[in-house]
Every structure is written in structure tokens, then in C-alpha cells.
Amino acid sequence: MNDHNTTTNHTMTLTNNETGEAFELPVLGGSVGPKVIDVRRLYGDTGYFTYDPGFTSTASCESTITYIDGDEGILLYRGYPIEDLAVHCDHMEVSYLLLFGELPNAEQKAKFEHDITYHTMLHEQVNQFYRGFRRDSHPMAIMCGVVGALSAFYHDSLDINDPWHRTVASYRMIAKIPTIAAHAYKYAIGQPFIYPDNGLKYSENFLHMLFATPAEDYEVSPTLARAMDRILILHADHEQNASTSTVRLAGSSGANPFACIAAGIASLWGPAHGGANEAVLNMLHEIGDKSNITEYVKKAKDPDDPFRLMGFGHRVYKNFDPRARVMQQTCHEVLEELGITDEPLLELAMELEKIAVEDDYFVERKLYPNVDFYSGIIFKAIGIPTTMFTVLFAVARTVGWIAQWNEMVEDPSQKIGRPRQLFTGPPRRDFVTLDKRG
Ligand code: SDX
């Protein structure tokens, strides 16, 4: 798959203190970041499993796509810092980079944009599919359903072993996810669907489908289109997070790409993951005023209180999430461009951040704002309803899921993911007939 996976010249010795047996485990090195102990032969050689619920110390795969240094707050897409990509690129360039490993030249970019643009429309039957949902369905429920149903409509791009099928399915998914998302919003508010306009750029087209109506012309603000593009870039990929791991695991069984992306959407929906951006806005509304911040920070620190500071903390980042910094800057730019000078939620968020990052509880646990802390305020300023926030995250992350799915399918060492367990249930016992049960 790539030549970065190098068996280093040293091993780790595992000694069984019960038997005195020692086992040599090879150490593998990548191009950058922690080395790994190769435990693929561990069970065969020792009869022992490793145990790592939540995969806090487990590398599930080898990848060349995204690198995160959580301690330094570094995020690289194919080696390029997210800060540079967010400022100098648009989402189509970054999508090309994630898919193919290199930034496109002008000709490659133009062709990629053309090919994506000419796949943005949905099969008309898919548009009918929405009719089965209640109007008050959560848009993420609609996204799970519609994306999962795509394999029922696009039969000519389901053979994962055919590179051409994979390319068509990948382009279709990236191209259609904004249309699917915009239709979910329109369906929820009872407005007619707005079809894609091939004369518009990706983010411009998305905003047009969200906010235009057949009743009058709708001009997309270049500022909002730029902000949306930057938000899509910041959310595009993020190593082996929960939803990406879900896509990989679903794909490892040979499931079709549309089903795998639907699985990723389902996983992203959780409030501990992509659902956090919606939860942050709900939390800020619940806190309501700066005078209540102390009380809520206290609740967040109370181990007996399930309340957590949404938008804070991260499994990998033990420093500022670099995306949060860019998001905060974008937040100020968008509000200023829109002439929103006194957004109380932003004031509240900034005060909450100030208090939390100075509080020992958060400092000791290295809990900083993550990508979701400020994104919701920008979405609100753009006019996106709270229930659509995680949908936007899914729109952005689709290219990352697709890139990671392709990498997994093309990996010659790939096999079905099938973790084992530490069993603590009842050992074998004799059956008890109904008449003998107490
Ligand atoms: C995303 O993985 C990714 O890359 C995800 C993502 C991506 O781009 O794909 O970056 C997107 O999901 C960002 C995270 C969005 N989620 C939230 O903002 C929800 C709030 N955050 C927490 O739920 C939590 O921080 C997680 C889920 C993000 C991380 O949880 P971990 O790594 O399992 O950490 P943990 O739960 O073991 O917490 C360690 C300690 C605990 O306290 P102690 O048991 O040590 O006393 O920190 C505490 C936790 O109680 N803690 C928090 C907290 N987050 C962790 N306490 C209060 N508020 C919080 N937000």
C-alpha cells in the first residue's frame, strides 16, 4: 500500500512472569509519529489478547492520509498543515488532495471540479424517497436513511473490487452529499427542493440549495460561501476517529460504499462526536448568561453530574485543536462581515473558554476547545438551524470517509475487522428446563 511501514531493527520483549517465557514483538515505524508494537502474532504465540476498550493505545491500520500530533496541536492532510489549507485552498482542492495524495494543478483541479459538479443531481426516485419521513424528523435521521438507500438506486458503482466502480461511487458520494443534506433541510421546513446549479462552485451551490426558493432569485454571499468552504476543509478528515473507524470496519466486510458512509453518518451523530456542535449551541442557550458560567463549570467538573462542557476535550488533542483556532478566527470574520457586532453566544463562548482553560480541572486533564466549540456560532450566523449542524459536519467529512475507505479497500493486507473480547460472563453451565427454574 505504501512504503512508509518499516519494520525497525528493534523489538519489544514481553515476559510472562508466571512462566518466565519471553516473547519478542517486532516494532514498526511510520514516517512520523509514534512507533507501533506489532501484536498480530501475539495470540498465536502467547494465547493472550491485548485489551484496549476505546482503542486509546491501538493503531487500527496504516494510513498516509491525515496525521495528528495531539500534544503539539498539529493536523496535517497529506503532510500539509490545516492552517495553510484553510487559508489558501478551497474544498475541492483539499478533496482532491485527500483522495489522490497531492494538491491538484490547475488542469487537474478544473477537471475534478467539473466531474464533481456533473454528479451533484440526485436520481429523481431518491428525491421521492424523502416523502416517507415525518416532516419533523431530525435531519441526521434523514441523512442516515437516504445515504443508506443510495445503493438501491445506483447499481452501477457497487463492485468494490472494480477500481472504476470505486471512483464513480466516490465522486457520486462527494458530489451528492450537499444535495442530500440541503434536501433534508428543505423537507424539514416544508419548502420545495432546490436542484443543483452547475454554474455554482461546491460551497456556493450548497448554500444556494439550502436557502434559495423557486419564488425569487437568490444571490449567495461570497463571504458566506468562503466561510462554508473553510468549515468544510476544517472538518474534512481527522485520522481514525469514531466515524471513520466505523466506515473502515463496515467496509472491511465488503459492504458497498454508500452503506459504509451511512454507517459513518450514524456514528458521527453522537454528541460525543459530530453531534457535539449541536450540543454546544444547546449548552450555550442553557447557560444563557455569563453569570451562570461558574455554576455550569462546576457541574462539568462534578464526577456525579453527567453534564460535560460540550466542545471541550478530545481523545487526541491535549492542546488546542488547531481547527478551533481557525474556526474562532472565522467566527469573528463572518460576524463582522455580516455586521453582527453583539452576538451574545460568542461573548458567552469566549468567556466560558477563558474561565475553563484557566481552571485546574481542565488544565490537569488537558481539556481545550475542540473543532465543535465555535463552529455552531458560525453556522447560526450563516442561518443554519441547530439541527443541521451535524449534517454539515457529515457533508464535510464525506470526502475523508471516502478517502479512508478507498485506502482500506486498496490495502493488500486488508482483512475483515473482527476484534475479540475479555469475557467475564458465566462459564459453561448445564441447561435448566422450565419446570425446574425457580
Ligand atoms: C469530535 O476523534 C476525533 O478526532 C473526533 C473529531 C473529528 O474531527 O472526528 O475531532 C470530532 O468528535 C470532537 C469532540 C467533540 N465532543 C465533545 O466536545 C463532547 C465533550 N467532550 C467529551 O465528551 C470528551 O472530551 C471526548 C469524548 C471528546 C473525549 O473523551 P475521552 O478521550 O474518552 O476522554 P475521557 O472521557 O476519558 O475524559 C478524560 C477526563 C475525564 O475525567 P476523569 O475521569 O479523569 O476525572 O476528562 C474529563 C472526563 O470526565 N472530561 C471532561 C470533558 N471531556 C473530558 N469533563 C468535562 N467536560 C468535558 N468536555
Side-chain angles (χ1 to χ4, degrees):
M1 184 183 69
N2 63 68
D3 55 5
H4 298 306
N5 169 355
T6 50
T7 303
T8 60
N9 55 11
H10 76 269
T11 60
M12 285 277 195
T13 303
L14 186 63
T15 304
N16 183 335
N17 291 335
E18 277 182 342
T19 63
E21 281 180 290
F23 301 93
E24 294 299 309
L25 296 171
V27 171
L28 304 181
S31 49
V32 63
K35 291 185 172 61
V36 299
I37 301 169
D38 183 348
V39 294
R40 283 175 288 186
R41 294 185 46 75
L42 183 73
Y43 178 60
D45 291 353
T46 70
Y48 285 76
F49 294 143
T50 60
Y51 183 65
D52 187 14
F55 309 119
T56 52
S57 301
T58 294
S60 62
C61 65
E62 180 182 328
S63 180
T64 62
I65 300 174
T66 292
Y67 177 70
I68 302 171
D69 181 327
D71 294 329
E72 299 302 320
I74 290 170
L75 169 56
L76 309 176
Y77 289 168
R78 302 285 192 179
Y80 294 102
I82 191 68
E83 296 87 346
D84 293 341
L85 296 172
V87 170
H88 300 298
C89 291
D90 62 23
H91 188 56
M92 284 291 96
E93 270 175 290
V94 171
S95 297
Y96 185 99
L97 172 67
L98 289 169
L99 284 174
F100 302 111
E102 297 297 337
L103 285 165
N105 60 33
E107 188 187 336
Q108 290 164 330
K109 182 184 175 188
K111 177 159 185 352
F112 181 69
E113 276 193 301
H114 172 275
D115 293 346
I116 293 294
T117 298
Y118 280 80
H119 276 81
T120 48
M121 213 155 53
L122 290 178
H123 187 299
E124 196 56 24
Q125 284 298 105
V126 177
N127 287 339
Q128 301 309 320
F129 190 76
Y130 286 77
R131 304 272 175 268
F133 292 99
R134 284 175 43 158
R135 290 284 181 172
D136 61 353
S137 305
H138 193 291
M140 280 298 278
I142 297 177
M143 293 292 286
C144 290
V146 173
V147 172
L150 292 180
S151 54
F153 295 96
Y154 297 111
H155 298 151
D156 57 347
S157 58
L158 299 178
D159 178 358
I160 65 162
N161 298 308
D162 179 335
W164 177 244
H165 277 226
R166 290 204 303 273
T167 300
V168 172
S170 300
Y171 277 49
R172 274 178 170 153
M173 206 60 260
I174 294 163
K176 297 180 195 304
I177 198 76
T179 312
I180 292 168
H183 286 8
Y185 173 55
K186 286 301 200 186
Y187 187 74
I189 61 174
Q191 285 190 0
F193 294 163
I194 297 297
Y195 282 66
D197 176 342
N198 292 347
L200 299 177
K201 297 281 187 189
Y202 194 83
S203 295
E204 215 182 352
N205 198 19
F206 183 33
L207 289 169
H208 187 261
M209 291 188 285
L210 281 169
F211 297 124
T213 64
E216 57 187 11
D217 289 342
Y218 177 83
E219 203 65 32
V220 176
S221 147
T223 304
L224 297 190
R226 180 71 200 121
M228 177 59 77
D229 225 51
R230 189 176 294 182
I231 288 164
L232 295 179
I233 290 169
L234 292 172
H235 288 81
D237 194 54
H238 211 242
E239 200 214 66
Q240 305 311 319
N241 58 85
S243 54
T244 298
S245 300
T246 302
V247 170
R248 279 181 171 260
L249 195 55
S252 73
S253 73
N256 74 71
F258 304 114
C260 294
I261 299 303
I265 292 171
S267 171
L268 184 75
W269 194 359
H273 190 13
N277 53 18
E278 178 177 356
V280 167
L281 251 287
N282 295 336
M283 173 188 74
L284 291 174
H285 282 304
E286 185 184 337
I287 294 173
D289 183 84
K290 289 181 186 178
S291 59
N292 299 326
I293 289 178
T294 307
E295 175 208 341
Y296 276 87
V297 168
K298 187 162 174 278
K299 279 168 62 69
K301 292 157 57 174
D302 178 355
D304 299 324
D305 189 324
F307 176 80
R308 284 196 161 178
L309 223 44
M310 301 315 279
F312 260 76
H314 198 277
R315 170 63 57 76
V316 177
Y317 289 122
K318 301 311 170 192
N319 198 324
F320 257 85
D321 181 334
R323 302 168 297 176
R325 289 188 192 284
V326 180
M327 203 67 83
Q328 189 192 53
Q329 176 199 327
T330 305
C331 200
H332 287 293
E333 287 169 12
V334 168
L335 293 177
E336 191 182 327
E337 286 282 345
L338 293 174
I340 302 172
T341 52
D342 61 341
E343 170 50 78
L345 290 176
L346 177 59
E347 301 298 318
L348 189 58
M350 289 172 67
E351 183 65 18
L352 181 56
E353 175 191 332
K354 184 171 170 295
I355 292 172
V357 296
E358 289 165 2
D359 183 293
D360 288 347
Y361 172 94
F362 292 87
V363 172
E364 283 157 18
R365 291 166 179 78
K366 299 183 178 178
L367 303 174
Y368 293 90
N370 59 48
V371 68
D372 294 305
F373 191 62
Y374 287 102
S375 55
I377 298 168
I378 304 176
F379 293 155
K380 176 178 176 291
I382 293 175
I384 309 281
T386 309
T387 53
M388 281 290 290
F389 288 4
T390 309
V391 172
L392 265 60
F393 197 149
V395 169
R397 187 53 56 88
T398 291
V399 64
W401 288 330
I402 284 289
Q404 299 269 355
W405 173 78
N406 276 296
E407 183 176 66
M408 183 271 300
V409 173
E410 291 159 8
D411 180 349
S413 66
Q414 185 269 329
K415 54 176 63 179
I416 189 167
R418 207 283 186 209
R420 301 303 301 274
Q421 63 183 6
L422 171 65
F423 184 70
T424 55
R428 190 193 183 289
R429 52 185 170 164
D430 294 336
F431 180 73
V432 180
T433 55
L434 182 58
D435 60 329
K436 292 195 175 59
R437 292 172 204 158

